[in-house]
Amino acid sequence: MFGRMDEPTQQQIEELTSAFERFARRFKVAEAAAAADNALNALDAQTLLFVQANAGCGLGDVARYLNVATTTMSSAVDRLVRKAMIERRRPEGNRRAVALTITEKGRYVAEEQKAGYRNACLAMLRLLEPSERAEMIRLTEKIADSES
């Protein structure tokens, strides 16, 4: 790994913390704008996106992906079911299991959510020089794909 000399400085940590707070705020605003009509909190929005991408998944699958307790996930799913955005279905082979699927309303809301993210990314990328954009994407993916 890195030696002590390669550790980030306190100033670098503070600068990145501040930048990420501003960065996250852009996404929260975009997420809130997309979800405002449907009153989704961040957990519900992420749950909806996961179910859209993983039709037939189980409650535990979503909980593991979002790194939350199954009881927390159960509450989120209950809210989304009440709002008619996802449905619980019992698979024929296992009547005790529950498969989650997105509804047409949920699909619409999820697409609005993703459009909000894309608009936030577009706004950020427009602030960069064309030559800087690929580097921003590369570094962001490197961080996002790390295990720590």
Side-chain angles (χ1 to χ4, degrees), residues 12-127:
Q12 289 172 323
I13 294 167
E14 295 302 324
E15 289 171 359
L16 186 59
T17 299
S18 176
F20 270 133
E21 286 170 353
R22 294 187 312 272
F23 193 77
R25 200 167 27 255
R26 287 179 187 257
F27 279 95
K28 287 179 183 175
V29 168
E31 189 173 74
D37 294 338
N38 298 290
L40 294 184
N41 65 38
L43 177 62
D44 294 359
Q46 290 301 308
T47 300
L48 186 64
L49 292 174
F50 184 85
V51 172
Q52 181 188 33
N54 300 278
C57 63
L59 188 74
D61 299 323
V62 190
R64 278 188 296 282
Y65 177 75
L66 296 176
N67 197 28
V68 298
T70 53
T71 53
T72 302
M73 184 50 49
S74 182
S75 297
V77 167
D78 287 345
R79 286 189 298 273
L80 291 168
V81 167
R82 280 193 305 274
K83 292 177 182 183
M85 292 184 198
I86 64 173
E87 295 175 340
R88 289 184 183 100
R89 296 191 178 152
R90 301 251 181 231
E92 288 301 317
N94 183 353
R95 302 300 296 166
R96 293 189 325 172
V98 175
L100 304 174
T101 57
I102 195 163
T103 64
E104 197 56 43
K105 179 182 179 182
R107 191 171 285 104
Y108 172 80
V109 173
E111 290 305 319
E112 288 291 308
Q113 192 82 26
K114 289 190 273 188
Y117 291 148
R118 284 191 288 277
N119 289 337
C121 289
L122 173 62
M124 286 185 271
L125 289 169
R126 280 182 172 158
L127 297 171

